[in-house]
Coordinates of all heavy atoms in Angstrom, one line a residue:
M1 N -16.1 -2.6 6.1 CA -16.3 -1.1 6.2 C -17.7 -0.9 6.5 O -18.6 -1.4 5.8 CB -15.9 -0.5 4.9 CG -15.9 1.0 5.0 SD -14.6 1.7 6.0 CE -15.3 3.3 6.4
I2 N -18.0 -0.1 7.5 CA -19.4 0.2 7.9 C -19.9 1.4 7.2 O -19.2 2.4 7.0 CB -19.4 0.5 9.5 CG1 -19.1 -0.8 10.2 CG2 -20.8 1.0 9.9 CD1 -18.8 -0.6 11.7
C3 N -21.1 1.3 6.7 CA -21.8 2.4 6.0 C -21.8 3.7 6.9 O -22.3 3.6 8.0 CB -23.2 2.0 5.6 SG -24.1 3.4 4.8
P4 N -21.3 4.9 6.4 CA -21.3 6.1 7.2 C -22.7 6.7 7.4 O -22.9 7.5 8.3 CB -20.5 7.0 6.4 CG -20.5 6.6 5.0 CD -20.7 5.1 5.0
K5 N -23.7 6.2 6.6 CA -25.0 6.8 6.7 C -25.9 5.9 7.6 O -26.6 6.5 8.5 CB -25.6 6.9 5.3 CG -26.8 7.8 5.3 CD -27.3 8.0 3.8 CE -28.5 9.0 3.9 NZ -29.2 9.0 2.5
C6 N -26.0 4.6 7.4 CA -26.9 3.8 8.2 C -26.2 2.8 9.0 O -26.9 2.0 9.7 CB -27.9 3.1 7.2 SG -27.2 1.8 6.3
A7 N -24.9 2.7 9.0 CA -24.1 1.8 9.8 C -24.2 0.4 9.5 O -23.9 -0.5 10.3 CB -24.3 2.1 11.3
Y8 N -24.7 0.1 8.3 CA -24.8 -1.3 7.8 C -23.4 -1.9 7.7 O -22.5 -1.2 7.1 CB -25.6 -1.4 6.5 CG -25.9 -2.8 6.1 CD1 -26.8 -3.6 6.8 CD2 -25.4 -3.3 4.9 CE1 -27.1 -4.9 6.3 CE2 -25.7 -4.5 4.4 CZ -26.5 -5.4 5.2 OH -26.8 -6.6 4.7
E9 N -23.2 -3.1 8.1 CA -21.8 -3.6 8.2 C -21.3 -4.2 6.9 O -20.1 -4.3 6.7 CB -21.7 -4.7 9.3 CG -21.6 -4.0 10.6 CD -21.5 -5.0 11.8 OE1 -21.1 -6.1 11.5 OE2 -21.9 -4.6 12.9
K10 N -22.2 -4.7 6.0 CA -21.7 -5.4 4.8 C -21.8 -4.6 3.5 O -22.6 -4.8 2.7 CB -22.4 -6.7 4.7 CG -21.9 -7.7 5.7 CD -22.8 -9.0 5.7 CE -22.4 -9.8 6.9 NZ -23.3 -10.9 7.2
T11 N -20.9 -3.5 3.4 CA -20.9 -2.7 2.2 C -20.2 -3.4 1.1 O -19.2 -4.2 1.4 CB -20.3 -1.3 2.5 OG1 -19.1 -1.5 3.1 CG2 -21.2 -0.5 3.4
C12 N -20.5 -3.2 -0.2 CA -19.9 -3.8 -1.3 C -18.8 -2.9 -1.9 O -19.0 -1.7 -2.0 CB -20.9 -4.2 -2.4 SG -22.4 -5.0 -1.8
V13 N -17.7 -3.5 -2.4 CA -16.7 -2.8 -3.1 C -17.1 -2.8 -4.6 O -17.2 -3.8 -5.2 CB -15.3 -3.4 -2.9 CG1 -14.2 -2.7 -3.7 CG2 -14.9 -3.4 -1.4
I14 N -17.2 -1.6 -5.1 CA -17.6 -1.5 -6.6 C -16.3 -1.5 -7.4 O -16.2 -2.1 -8.4 CB -18.4 -0.2 -6.8 CG1 -19.7 -0.2 -6.0 CG2 -18.7 0.0 -8.3 CD1 -20.3 1.2 -5.9
A15 N -15.3 -0.7 -7.0 CA -14.1 -0.6 -7.7 C -12.9 -0.3 -6.8 O -13.1 0.3 -5.7 CB -14.2 0.6 -8.7
T16 N -11.7 -0.8 -7.2 CA -10.5 -0.6 -6.4 C -9.5 0.1 -7.4 O -9.3 -0.3 -8.5 CB -9.9 -1.9 -5.9 OG1 -10.9 -2.5 -5.1 CG2 -8.7 -1.7 -5.1
I17 N -9.0 1.3 -6.9 CA -8.0 2.0 -7.7 C -6.7 1.9 -7.0 O -6.5 2.4 -5.8 CB -8.4 3.5 -7.8 CG1 -9.8 3.6 -8.5 CG2 -7.4 4.3 -8.6 CD1 -10.6 4.8 -8.1
K18 N -5.7 1.3 -7.6 CA -4.4 1.0 -6.9 C -3.3 2.0 -7.5 O -3.1 2.0 -8.7 CB -4.0 -0.4 -7.1 CG -4.7 -1.3 -6.2 CD -4.2 -2.8 -6.3 CE -5.1 -3.7 -5.5 NZ -4.8 -5.1 -5.9
S19 N -2.7 2.7 -6.6 CA -1.5 3.5 -6.9 C -0.6 3.4 -5.7 O -0.6 2.4 -5.1 CB -1.9 4.9 -7.3 OG -2.5 5.6 -6.3
T20 N 0.0 4.5 -5.3 CA 0.7 4.5 -4.0 C -0.2 4.4 -2.8 O 0.1 3.9 -1.8 CB 1.6 5.7 -3.9 OG1 0.8 6.9 -4.1 CG2 2.8 5.7 -4.8
T21 N -1.5 4.8 -3.1 CA -2.5 4.6 -2.1 C -3.6 3.7 -2.8 O -3.7 3.7 -4.0 CB -3.2 5.9 -1.6 OG1 -3.7 6.6 -2.7 CG2 -2.2 6.8 -0.8
V22 N -4.4 3.0 -2.0 CA -5.4 2.2 -2.6 C -6.8 2.9 -2.2 O -7.1 3.2 -1.1 CB -5.4 0.8 -2.0 CG1 -6.6 0.0 -2.5 CG2 -4.1 0.1 -2.4
Q23 N -7.5 3.2 -3.3 CA -8.9 3.7 -3.1 C -9.9 2.7 -3.4 O -9.8 2.0 -4.4 CB -9.1 4.9 -4.0 CG -8.2 6.1 -3.6 CD -8.5 7.3 -4.5 OE1 -9.6 7.6 -4.8 NE2 -7.5 8.0 -4.9
R24 N -10.9 2.6 -2.6 CA -12.0 1.7 -2.9 C -13.4 2.4 -2.9 O -13.7 3.1 -1.9 CB -12.0 0.5 -1.8 CG -10.9 -0.4 -1.9 CD -11.2 -1.7 -1.2 NE -10.1 -2.7 -1.5 CZ -9.0 -2.8 -0.8 NH1 -8.8 -2.1 0.3 NH2 -8.1 -3.7 -1.1
W25 N -14.1 2.2 -4.0 CA -15.4 2.8 -4.1 C -16.3 1.7 -3.5 O -16.3 0.6 -4.0 CB -15.8 3.1 -5.5 CG -15.1 4.4 -5.9 CD1 -14.0 4.5 -6.7 CD2 -15.5 5.7 -5.6 NE1 -13.6 5.8 -6.8 CE2 -14.6 6.6 -6.2 CE3 -16.6 6.3 -4.9 CZ2 -14.6 8.0 -6.1 CZ3 -16.6 7.7 -4.8 CH2 -15.7 8.5 -5.3
R26 N -17.1 2.1 -2.6 CA -18.0 1.1 -2.0 C -19.5 1.6 -2.1 O -19.8 2.8 -2.2 CB -17.7 1.0 -0.5 CG -16.3 0.4 -0.3 CD -15.9 0.6 1.2 NE -14.5 0.2 1.4 CZ -14.2 -1.1 1.8 NH1 -15.1 -2.0 2.0 NH2 -12.9 -1.3 1.9
K27 N -20.4 0.6 -2.0 CA -21.8 1.0 -2.0 C -22.5 0.2 -0.9 O -22.2 -1.0 -0.7 CB -22.4 0.7 -3.3 CG -23.8 1.2 -3.4 CD -24.3 1.2 -4.9 CE -25.7 1.8 -4.9 NZ -26.1 2.3 -6.2
C28 N -23.4 0.8 -0.2 CA -24.2 0.2 0.8 C -25.4 -0.5 0.2 O -26.2 0.3 -0.4 CB -24.6 1.1 1.9 SG -25.7 0.4 3.1
P29 N -25.6 -1.8 0.3 CA -26.8 -2.4 -0.3 C -28.1 -2.1 0.4 O -29.2 -2.3 -0.1 CB -26.4 -3.9 -0.2 CG -25.5 -4.0 0.9 CD -24.7 -2.7 1.0
K30 N -27.9 -1.6 1.6 CA -29.1 -1.3 2.4 C -29.8 0.1 2.1 O -30.9 0.2 1.8 CB -28.8 -1.4 3.9 CG -30.0 -1.6 4.8 CD -29.6 -1.7 6.2 CE -30.8 -1.7 7.1 NZ -30.5 -1.4 8.5
C31 N -28.9 1.1 2.1 CA -29.5 2.5 1.9 C -29.0 3.1 0.6 O -29.5 4.1 0.2 CB -29.1 3.4 3.1 SG -27.3 3.8 3.1
G32 N -28.1 2.4 -0.2 CA -27.7 2.8 -1.5 C -26.7 3.9 -1.5 O -26.3 4.4 -2.6
T33 N -26.1 4.3 -0.4 CA -25.1 5.3 -0.3 C -23.8 4.8 -0.9 O -23.4 3.7 -0.6 CB -24.8 5.8 1.2 OG1 -26.0 6.3 1.7 CG2 -23.7 6.8 1.3
S34 N -23.1 5.6 -1.8 CA -21.8 5.1 -2.2 C -20.8 6.1 -1.7 O -21.0 7.3 -1.5 CB -21.7 5.1 -3.8 OG -22.2 6.3 -4.3
F35 N -19.6 5.6 -1.3 CA -18.6 6.3 -0.7 C -17.2 5.7 -1.1 O -17.1 4.6 -1.6 CB -18.7 6.5 0.8 CG -18.9 5.2 1.5 CD1 -17.8 4.6 2.2 CD2 -20.1 4.5 1.5 CE1 -17.9 3.4 2.9 CE2 -20.2 3.2 2.2 CZ -19.1 2.7 2.9
C36 N -16.1 6.5 -0.8 CA -14.8 6.0 -1.1 C -13.9 5.9 0.1 O -14.0 6.8 1.0 CB -14.2 7.0 -2.1 SG -12.5 6.6 -2.6
T37 N -13.1 4.9 0.2 CA -12.2 4.8 1.3 C -10.8 4.8 0.7 O -10.6 4.3 -0.4 CB -12.4 3.5 2.1 OG1 -12.3 2.4 1.3 CG2 -13.7 3.5 2.9
I38 N -9.8 5.4 1.5 CA -8.4 5.4 1.0 C -7.5 4.8 2.1 O -7.6 5.1 3.3 CB -8.0 6.9 0.8 CG1 -8.9 7.6 -0.2 CG2 -6.6 7.0 0.3 CD1 -8.8 9.1 -0.3
E39 N -6.7 3.9 1.6 CA -5.8 3.2 2.5 C -4.5 4.1 2.6 O -4.0 4.6 1.6 CB -5.3 1.9 2.0 CG -6.4 0.8 2.2 CD -6.0 -0.6 1.7 OE1 -4.8 -0.8 1.5 OE2 -6.8 -1.4 1.6
I40 N -4.0 4.4 3.8 CA -2.9 5.2 4.0 C -1.7 4.3 4.5 O -1.8 3.5 5.3 CB -3.1 6.3 5.0 CG1 -4.3 7.2 4.6 CG2 -1.9 7.1 5.3 CD1 -4.8 8.1 5.6
L41 N -0.6 4.6 3.8 CA 0.6 3.8 4.2 C 1.3 4.4 5.4 O 1.4 5.6 5.5 CB 1.6 3.9 3.0 CG 3.0 3.2 3.3 CD1 2.9 1.8 2.9 CD2 4.1 3.9 2.5
K42 N 1.6 3.6 6.4 CA 2.3 4.0 7.6 C 3.6 3.2 7.7 O 3.5 2.0 7.7 CB 1.4 3.8 8.8 CG 0.2 4.7 8.9 CD 0.2 5.6 10.0 CE -1.0 6.5 10.0 NZ -1.0 7.6 10.9
T43 N 4.7 3.9 7.9 CA 5.9 3.3 8.0 C 6.2 2.9 9.5 O 5.5 3.4 10.4 CB 7.1 4.2 7.6 OG1 7.1 5.3 8.4 CG2 7.0 4.6 6.1
D44 N 7.1 2.0 9.7 CA 7.5 1.6 11.1 C 7.8 2.8 12.0 O 7.4 2.9 13.1 CB 8.7 0.7 11.1 CG 8.3 -0.7 10.8 OD1 7.1 -1.0 10.8 OD2 9.2 -1.6 10.7
E45 N 8.5 3.8 11.3 CA 8.9 5.0 12.1 C 7.6 5.8 12.6 O 7.6 6.2 13.7 CB 9.7 5.9 11.1 CG 10.4 7.0 11.8 CD 11.1 7.9 10.8 OE1 11.9 7.4 10.0 OE2 10.8 9.1 10.7
E46 N 6.6 5.9 11.7 CA 5.4 6.6 12.1 C 4.7 5.8 13.2 O 4.1 6.4 14.2 CB 4.5 6.7 10.9 CG 4.9 7.9 10.0 CD 3.9 8.0 8.8 OE1 4.1 7.2 7.9 OE2 3.0 8.8 8.9
L47 N 4.7 4.5 13.1 CA 4.0 3.7 14.1 C 4.7 3.8 15.4 O 4.0 3.9 16.5 CB 3.9 2.2 13.6 CG 3.0 1.9 12.5 CD1 3.2 0.5 12.0 CD2 1.5 2.1 12.9
N48 N 6.0 3.8 15.4 CA 6.8 3.9 16.6 C 6.5 5.3 17.3 O 6.4 5.4 18.5 CB 8.3 3.8 16.4 CG 8.7 2.4 16.1 OD1 8.0 1.4 16.4 ND2 9.8 2.2 15.4
R49 N 6.4 6.3 16.5 CA 6.2 7.7 17.0 C 4.8 7.7 17.7 O 4.6 8.2 18.7 CB 6.3 8.7 15.9 CG 6.4 10.1 16.4 CD 6.3 11.2 15.3 NE 7.1 10.9 14.1 CZ 6.7 11.1 12.9 NH1 5.5 11.6 12.6 NH2 7.5 10.8 11.9
Y50 N 3.9 7.1 17.0 CA 2.5 7.0 17.5 C 2.4 6.3 18.8 O 1.8 6.7 19.8 CB 1.6 6.4 16.5 CG 0.2 6.2 16.9 CD1 -0.7 7.3 16.9 CD2 -0.3 5.0 17.5 CE1 -2.0 7.2 17.4 CE2 -1.6 4.9 17.9 CZ -2.5 6.0 17.9 OH -3.7 5.9 18.4
A51 N 3.2 5.2 18.9 CA 3.2 4.4 20.1 C 3.8 5.2 21.3 O 3.3 5.2 22.4 CB 4.0 3.1 19.9
K52 N 4.9 6.0 21.0 CA 5.5 6.8 22.0 C 4.6 7.9 22.5 O 4.5 8.2 23.7 CB 6.8 7.5 21.4 CG 8.0 6.7 21.7 CD 9.3 7.4 21.1 CE 10.4 6.4 20.9 NZ 11.4 7.0 20.0
E53 N 3.9 8.6 21.5 CA 2.9 9.6 21.9 C 1.8 9.1 22.7 O 1.4 9.7 23.7 CB 2.4 10.3 20.6 CG 3.3 11.4 20.1 CD 2.9 11.9 18.7 OE1 1.7 11.7 18.4 OE2 3.7 12.5 18.1
A54 N 1.3 7.9 22.4 CA 0.2 7.3 23.2 C 0.7 7.0 24.6 O 0.0 7.2 25.5 CB -0.2 6.0 22.4
L55 N 1.9 6.5 24.7 CA 2.5 6.2 26.0 C 2.7 7.4 26.8 O 2.4 7.5 28.0 CB 3.8 5.4 25.8 CG 4.5 4.8 27.0 CD1 3.6 3.7 27.6 CD2 5.9 4.3 26.7
K56 N 3.2 8.5 26.1 CA 3.5 9.8 26.8 C 2.2 10.4 27.4 O 2.1 10.8 28.5 CB 4.1 10.8 25.8 CG 4.8 11.9 26.5 CD 5.5 12.8 25.4 CE 5.7 14.2 26.0 NZ 5.0 15.2 25.2
E57 N 1.1 10.3 26.5 CA -0.2 10.8 26.9 C -0.7 10.1 28.2 O -1.2 10.7 29.1 CB -1.1 10.6 25.8 CG -2.2 11.6 25.7 CD -3.0 11.5 24.4 OE1 -4.0 10.7 24.4 OE2 -2.6 12.1 23.4
K58 N -0.4 8.8 28.2 CA -0.8 8.0 29.4 C -0.1 8.4 30.6 O -0.6 8.6 31.7 CB -0.5 6.5 29.1 CG -1.7 5.6 29.3 CD -1.2 4.2 29.0 CE -2.5 3.3 28.8 NZ -2.1 1.9 28.5
L59 N 1.3 8.7 30.5 CA 2.1 9.1 31.6 C 1.8 10.5 32.1 O 1.9 10.7 33.3 CB 3.6 9.0 31.2 CG 4.1 7.6 31.0 CD1 5.5 7.6 30.4 CD2 4.1 6.7 32.2
D60 N 1.4 11.4 31.2 CA 1.1 12.7 31.5 C -0.2 12.8 32.3 O -0.4 13.8 33.1 CB 1.0 13.6 30.3 CG 2.4 13.9 29.7 OD1 3.3 13.7 30.4 OD2 2.4 14.4 28.6
R61 N -1.1 11.9 32.1 CA -2.4 12.0 32.7 C -2.4 11.3 34.1 O -2.2 10.1 34.2 CB -3.4 11.2 31.8 CG -4.8 11.9 31.8 CD -5.6 11.2 30.8 NE -5.4 11.6 29.4 CZ -5.7 10.8 28.3 NH1 -6.3 9.7 28.5 NH2 -5.5 11.3 27.1
P62 N -2.6 12.1 35.1 CA -2.7 11.5 36.4 C -3.9 10.6 36.6 O -5.0 10.9 36.1 CB -2.7 12.6 37.4 CG -3.2 13.8 36.6 CD -2.9 13.5 35.1
E63 N -3.7 9.5 37.3 CA -4.9 8.6 37.4 C -5.6 8.7 38.7 O -5.1 9.1 39.7 CB -4.5 7.1 37.2 CG -4.3 6.8 35.7 CD -3.8 5.4 35.4 OE1 -4.0 4.5 36.2 OE2 -3.1 5.3 34.4
Ligands
ZN101 ZN1 -26.2 2.4 4.4

């Protein structure tokens, strides 16, 4: 995960909170910014819909 403040690539995970979503508290060792990331569950159905929309967008756009 890249630091949102200074774009440093190696941020540290301070804590992980697991429930139906996974939250990770991270800290950037370079600038000291701490922030939280949340993992979102995507089902196959959602992924298929996304793929269809992406394809449709491609077809709608004249090249
Ligand atoms: Zn940083």
Side-chain angles (χ1 to χ4, degrees):
M1 186 73 205
I2 294 168
C3 172
K5 199 175 178 190
C6 73
Y8 187 67
E9 283 180 22
K10 287 169 187 168
T11 52
C12 310
V13 176
I14 301 164
T16 302
I17 303 153
K18 282 181 188 169
S19 61
T20 51
T21 58
V22 176
Q23 293 184 39
R24 288 198 173 92
W25 285 98
R26 296 168 187 269
K27 189 167 182 162
C28 174
K30 201 181 171 192
C31 71
T33 299
S34 53
F35 55 100
C36 177
T37 56
I38 304 166
E39 283 181 15
I40 299 167
L41 179 87
K42 293 242 179 191
T43 60
D44 276 354
E45 195 183 299
E46 280 178 280
L47 289 173
N48 287 338
R49 198 189 311 141
Y50 178 78
K52 264 183 204 163
E53 274 170 21
L55 187 67
K56 198 176 158 241
E57 212 169 88
K58 231 180 198 180
L59 293 173
D60 286 348
R61 216 175 281 159
E63 278 175 31

